[in-house]
Amino acid sequence: MDALKSLVQPLVGGGGASSVVDGMKLVVLGGTVETARRVSSSAWSHFVNSFFLTAHFSEEDYPYDWLMLWLSRRPEWQRSREFETTTRTTTPGVSSTLDAMNSFGDEDFDGEGPHTPDPEDADEVPGKVKTRVVFQPTFDATHTIYYRGHWLRVKRGRKNGGSGCEMLSISVVARNNTILKQLILQAKKEYEAHAIHRIQIYFADAYGSWRWTDSRHKRPLSSIVLNPGVKEMLLQDTKDFLGSEKWYADRGIPFRRGYLLHGVPGSGKSSLIHAIAGSLQLDIYVVSLSASWISDSTLTTLMGRVPARCILLLEDLDAAFTRSVSREDGEGDDSKEQGPANNPATTTTSSSRGSRHRRSAAATTEQLSESNTLSLSGLLNALDGVAAAEGRILFATTNHLERLDPALCRPGRMDVWIEFKNASKWQAEALFRNFFPIVEEQELEVEEEIEIDELSEAEVDSVVLPEGTNLQVSAVANVVGGEPTTGVVVPTQEVSSPTGSSSSLGLSTLWSMSSSIVGGSSSAASSIFGGSSVPSSPLSSTASPRRVLVNTRSLDSSPSSSPSPVRRGRPLTTQKRGAGADGSSLGTTTTGVGSSGLSTSTTSTGTVTKGVSEKQFGSTNQTYLPPSAAEEDIVAGQRHSAKPLDGITLSRLAKHFADGVPEEEFSVAALQGYLLKHKASPHQAAEGVPEWVVSERDMRERLKREKEARETKEKAEREKKKKEKEEKEKEKEKEKEKTELEKKEAELEKIRAQLAEKEKEIEEKKSGKSTSGKKKKGGECGGYYTCC
Ligand SMILES: Nc1ncnc2c1ncn2[C@@H]1O[C@H](COP(=O)(O)OP(=O)(O)OP(=O)(O)O)[C@@H](O)[C@H]1O
């Protein structure tokens, strides 16, 4: 009771009045604070809305990518205190090169401290994918970034409306939007500079949108081996086109150009497009017309959304209306689908954006499948209808030109046709040259350098220059490789020979001497070059080298038949090699010429050299024997790739390889496949090609036979099945006829029975009539029956 009183007391008055006032004060104070907060917040948003300029960027558009890259490089962005981690990137082409501050991987840390690479680990799993984890500020967190005298408020969020699309909002206090324009342009520039070595690939999706799928390194045009002039012509033509918008506009011609690449599979059509895109810095937009979801309207939408300057690629044009598995027969189901766009459910994009699309796309795949309603007129309209974008370069590829409708290939749609054939000998040789590495300039140079200036006079004097001084130098020149001599520097000062005669080391003299040496069958030089003819162009004498270069690298001793000198501009180098097993190889250390104009050599040339070398590094001295080509190949076989070859050896092997490849019988891809098998052993690759050709032919023959046998078997089975089916049908027919006959007989029987019954009835009626007549008669006249 007392407790209740104490509670009520303050309310009804008495001693507690002051505490009520205090309570009221508190309430008023709280209300005032809350009101002030709300007013200030609303005033702030009013201020923001009035003075801040806000730009929104959707991830579906390019500026989002540019800005994300720009932001990823800002320290304020990286310093975010609330972030999410991802192993994916949302920025096309940026994944592989995210700034170190923004991402980390195994290689950065090892437990507590920075990671020290373990040399043993390095080889553990060759080609192991190193995943990098990326920090990204969480959604809805606001970052303040200082940019050109302005404070930017940056916020990443999601679009309202359930689409889930990522948005970036940038607000800035400014009188106009110039600062935002500058920001976007700078981000674009940085992005382009960043992506300059890569091309972006976009695939069409089932919703009529282009989806970024991949970013690839540019392929150098030089890596494409086509007959001379083809790729140059194509590059020139595409460049001309891109630069002639006004010309087209002036003449009212739609600003589009189409290229049709047709021919055998594996001949470089796709590779050429890739390389051209790289050279022109264009992105590639791929649409596969055999996709199950493609329809006239989707294609029209896609064509309208192609950006102005890009390559639009229609792959396997002939498959557009067949949707076949086999390119050969055009029959089968429609599972031949390349790229994520063709089958949204199997998208392999690495971006989170892609994965989101993948999820939603998967949901509708079933509805979309079998909805390919693309028609020829739909395709033609999409290519050059009113809605089709201008400025794009269209590339279409096909293996079956004959299957294309002439309307599709007419000029205006396909302006340039390029045929791709199987590899010619020329291509085979060029492919080989491209495939194996060539020794870098520096590599062939010195491993040991002696400053001629540092040579003591005694040393210089001790060099005995026999009468053939010039010969020594010319031998050097030959060791250099019978190569073009541009940039080969040889001194011109006079040197006194021990005979007292003063001979000029004039280049022409030297070179003519060298030629004669090369010409001599037993010369050291010829043994080095394996009898190859060496061009005898005069040496240039433009400068004097400061050093004498001594190279202890051994040269390949295989005989060369290649006439093509490859390397140029290399300083005069010398080679050290041992005698071959036959003792014919030159074992020599030769020296170049110093700035003093002195030509020195520890050996002599020609017969003299041979004598010396045999004495020093004779066949008994196995230590100095260079490995044979086969041995080198075995060793190289253990390695990942071949040891770089010098120009002459490469040319010789390439020629040898090409000689073994029959003209236009195998595709470049097939030759590349063969070379890949021998990627570490060029000698084997060159030697083994005839054997490979035979085995390939055998295999083809076998496959052909197997195919024929399979086809015959299938045909026989089909025939058999057909016969069986026919017989079954016949039997069924008979059965049916029999049943019908029986049925009819039954009916007939029934009719007969009915007939018989009716006849009986009639009979009965007849007899009844006569009976009743009689009865009547009888009744009348006392009859025979009793009336009822
Ligand atoms: N002319 C070539 N020059 C260089 N490489 C080539 C050439 N032709 C083919 N290749 C190589 O062969 C492989 C297949 O080439 P690519 O895909 O470009 O051929 P394609 O003609 O487009 O074949 P398909 O018609 O089957 O699509 C690639 O790895 C490529 O490097």
Side-chain angles (χ1 to χ4, degrees):
M1 196 62 189
D2 286 345
L4 191 66
K5 257 188 183 174
S6 67
L7 272 176
V8 177
Q9 195 74 27
L11 299 174
V12 294
S18 64
S19 45
V20 172
V21 173
D22 287 348
M24 292 298 282
K25 276 181 188 169
L26 268 178
V27 170
V28 170
L29 193 70
T32 315
V33 169
E34 176 58 17
T35 313
R37 195 190 65 79
R38 286 191 187 184
V39 168
S40 62
S41 148
S42 118
W44 175 249
S45 27
H46 186 70
F47 170 78
V48 168
N49 290 340
S50 319
F51 296 98
F52 270 81
L53 289 172
T54 305
H56 300 281
F57 304 90
S58 161
E59 70 162 335
E60 286 164 345
D61 210 353
Y62 299 108
Y64 178 89
D65 299 331
W66 308 337
L67 286 162
M68 283 302 285
L69 178 66
W70 183 81
L71 284 170
S72 73
R73 292 172 168 178
R74 302 271 82 74
E76 299 91 332
W77 188 257
Q78 291 163 359
R79 275 200 301 264
S80 173
R81 300 205 60 81
E82 202 180 333
F83 50 82
E84 59 191 27
T85 55
T86 175
T87 51
R88 291 178 177 144
T89 176
T90 52
T91 311
V94 180
S95 54
S96 54
T97 47
L98 276 169
D99 292 343
M101 266 185 81
N102 225 22
S103 66
F104 64 93
D106 294 336
E107 62 277 22
D108 296 334
F109 296 98
D110 184 11
E112 288 153 27
H115 178 77
T116 351
D118 181 353
E120 280 176 19
D121 271 7
D123 294 335
E124 224 173 49
V125 188
K128 182 183 166 191
V129 178
K130 289 179 182 160
T131 314
R132 288 192 76 76
V133 182
V134 181
F135 285 157
Q136 276 199 354
T138 45
F139 286 107
D140 298 327
T142 305
H143 303 265
T144 308
I145 295 174
Y146 190 71
Y147 175 69
R148 293 196 183 183
H150 292 79
W151 289 98
L152 307 177
R153 287 162 50 81
V154 184
K155 194 168 142 186
R156 197 162 70 97
R158 289 202 185 279
K159 208 184 218 171
N160 297 332
S163 72
C165 176
E166 283 181 28
M167 295 287 298
L168 198 65
S169 307
I170 303 183
S171 304
V172 61
V173 180
R175 264 178 294 149
N176 54 38
N177 57 14
T178 313
I179 187 70
L180 285 174
K181 283 183 192 163
Q182 284 174 346
L183 170 68
I184 295 167
L185 286 180
Q186 180 176 342
K188 180 172 180 265
K189 251 187 211 163
E190 283 185 21
Y191 181 88
E192 282 170 355
H194 180 87
I196 197 141
H197 301 298
R198 303 182 76 84
I199 50 172
Q200 311 300 334
I201 314 242
Y202 296 82
F203 267 88
D205 72 12
Y207 307 94
S209 302
W210 293 103
R211 193 182 337 141
W212 175 79
T213 309
D214 199 5
S215 147
R216 301 219 183 125
H217 271 292
K218 287 180 180 173
R219 181 169 180 159
L221 205 57
S222 57
S223 73
I224 310 294
V225 178
L226 293 176
N227 285 330
V230 176
K231 54 188 183 185
E232 291 77 7
M233 177 279 293
L234 190 58
L235 186 63
Q236 193 51 46
D237 195 88
T238 45
K239 273 185 185 166
D240 278 354
F241 167 72
L242 290 174
S244 53
E245 187 169 2
K246 190 170 177 307
W247 188 91
Y248 276 81
D250 290 347
R251 282 154 190 80
I253 304 171
F255 185 43
R256 302 183 198 108
R257 196 146 176 88
Y259 299 86
L260 179 65
L261 311 189
H262 65 97
V264 295
S267 51
K269 298 183 286 295
S270 310
S271 307
L272 180 62
I273 296 166
H274 186 166
I276 292 277
S279 299
L280 299 176
Q281 294 189 24
L282 299 176
D283 293 339
I284 303 181
Y285 288 74
V286 190
V287 54
S288 181
L289 299 176
S290 58
S292 58
W293 46 263
I294 205 104
S295 68
D296 291 355
S297 63
T298 328
L299 193 65
T300 310
T301 315
L302 282 167
M303 293 300 149
R305 289 183 179 171
V306 171
R309 218 176 157 273
C310 75
I311 284 182
L312 174 65
L313 172 57
L314 301 182
E315 280 191 311
D316 294 331
L317 201 56
D318 57 287
F321 308 106
T322 52
R323 300 165 65 209
S324 64
V325 170
S326 155
R327 286 172 169 189
E328 295 309 313
D329 50 26
E331 289 171 3
D333 66 41
D334 53 11
S335 58
K336 176 204 172 274
E337 308 217 328
Q338 304 162 359
N342 297 334
N343 188 350
T346 56
T347 302
T348 53
T349 170
S350 61
S351 71
S352 60
R353 184 175 355 187
S355 64
R356 202 189 62 246
H357 278 289
R358 190 165 51 225
R359 281 194 300 276
S360 53
T364 48
T365 304
E366 277 184 22
Q367 306 161 20
L368 292 167
S369 64
E370 293 311 317
S371 63
N372 184 328
T373 54
L374 185 66
S375 65
L376 179 63
S377 64
L379 174 59
L380 300 182
N381 279 334
L383 288 183
D384 55 8
V386 197
E390 298 220 328
R392 50 75 180 156
I393 295 177
L394 171 71
F395 274 98
T397 63
T398 179
N399 298 125
H400 300 284
L401 182 66
E402 70 287 353
R403 289 188 192 163
L404 298 185
D405 192 286
L408 196 56
C409 318
R410 71 145 168 78
R413 291 196 178 107
M414 302 294 165
D415 303 283
V416 180
W417 296 17
I418 300 176
E419 187 180 4
F420 286 69
K421 293 182 177 174
N422 279 330
S424 63
K425 279 184 183 291
W426 189 91
Q427 278 178 295
E429 187 172 340
L431 186 72
F432 192 97
R433 281 168 190 269
N434 273 359
F435 197 86
F436 291 105
I438 190 166
V439 188
E440 289 293 325
E441 295 282 314
Q442 309 90 306
E443 278 183 51
L444 253 194
E445 285 176 9
V446 283
E447 282 172 6
E448 221 180 288
E449 296 182 352
I450 306 164
E451 289 284 346
I452 191 72
D453 296 345
E454 288 168 14
L455 286 178
S456 66
E457 242 177 79
E459 281 174 307
V460 173
D461 289 343
S462 70
V463 176
V464 180
L465 297 178
E467 278 189 339
T469 298
N470 290 346
L471 290 179
Q472 296 164 20
V473 181
S474 40
V476 171
N478 279 297
V479 172
V480 171
E483 48 197 5
T485 53
T486 349
V488 175
V489 282
V490 177
T492 52
Q493 286 96 325
E494 291 199 337
V495 175
S496 299
S497 76
T499 55
S501 65
S502 172
S503 71
S504 163
L505 294 178
L507 298 170
S508 55
T509 318
L510 291 175
W511 196 249
S512 63
M513 292 303 286
S514 94
S515 298
S516 68
I517 287 173
V518 171
S521 59
S522 64
S523 72
S526 73
S527 74
I528 289 174
F529 294 116
S532 68
S533 65
V534 178
S536 56
S537 44
L539 290 166
S540 128
S541 58
T542 51
S544 301
R546 304 292 306 164
R547 295 168 181 170
V548 171
L549 309 175
V550 180
N551 194 342
T552 54
R553 178 183 294 279
S554 60
L555 269 185
D556 195 290
S557 60
S558 340
S560 166
S561 59
S562 170
S564 45
V566 175
R567 302 174 42 71
R568 280 172 293 281
R570 215 173 59 226
L572 201 57
T573 58
T574 58
Q575 313 285 328
K576 176 180 180 176
R577 57 184 289 119
D582 60 359
S584 63
S585 291
L586 177 68
T588 173
T589 302
T590 49
T591 60
V593 191
S595 60
S596 63
L598 181 67
S599 167
T600 62
S601 174
T602 54
T603 67
S604 185
T605 54
T607 50
V608 181
T609 304
K610 198 173 177 186
V612 173
S613 66
E614 275 177 356
K615 203 173 170 189
Q616 284 183 330
F617 312 118
S619 53
T620 51
N621 188 350
Q622 297 294 315
T623 321
Y624 289 89
L625 283 180
S628 69
E631 283 166 350
E632 278 190 356
D633 276 354
I634 290 167
V635 176
Q638 330 265 326
R639 288 199 307 265
H640 175 62
S641 65
K643 179 182 144 199
L645 298 167
D646 65 88
I648 291 172
T649 312
L650 185 63
S651 302
R652 180 173 56 75
L653 292 178
K655 190 151 192 339
H656 193 69
F657 174 75
D659 285 344
V661 176
E663 187 78 9
E664 291 184 8
E665 189 175 327
F666 297 99
S667 69
V668 181
L671 296 185
Q672 181 181 275
Y674 167 75
L675 289 177
L676 274 171
K677 275 196 242 165
H678 299 282
K679 66 176 187 292
S681 43
H683 290 90
Q684 258 181 31
E687 300 299 331
V689 76
E691 207 178 304
W692 173 76
V693 168
V694 172
S695 74
E696 280 293 297
R697 282 180 180 157
D698 284 352
M699 196 178 73
R700 279 187 186 182
E701 206 48 49
R702 207 183 63 233
L703 288 176
K704 200 175 149 194
R705 277 200 306 272
E706 279 175 10
K707 193 180 169 198
E708 278 172 4
R710 203 174 50 241
E711 279 174 358
T712 321
K713 200 178 156 195
E714 279 171 5
K715 201 176 162 190
E717 267 177 19
R718 270 203 305 275
E719 292 283 313
K720 198 179 154 194
K721 273 187 187 167
K722 202 175 155 190
K723 256 188 187 172
E724 281 175 1
K725 203 175 159 191
E726 279 174 2
E727 268 171 25
K728 266 187 188 173
E729 272 175 8
K730 265 185 191 170
E731 264 178 29
K732 258 189 192 173
E733 202 69 28
K734 269 186 189 170
E735 203 61 32
K736 209 171 149 189
E737 275 175 13
K738 201 177 156 191
T739 326
E740 270 181 15
L741 208 69
E742 280 173 0
K743 216 167 141 188
K744 277 181 184 166
E745 270 181 8
E747 274 176 15
L748 209 66
E749 205 57 40
K750 211 171 151 188
I751 292 167
R752 272 195 203 129
Q754 284 173 351
L755 212 66
E757 226 166 77
K758 285 211 168 162
E759 273 177 4
K760 207 175 162 189
E761 270 177 27
I762 292 166
E763 279 293 311
E764 275 177 2
K765 269 184 189 170
K766 270 185 187 171
S767 58
K769 257 187 191 173
S770 59
T771 318
S772 66
K774 274 182 189 174
K775 215 179 183 181
K776 210 175 175 184
K777 217 176 172 181
E780 279 170 6
C781 54
Y784 308 101
Y785 300 107
T786 317
C787 291
C788 329

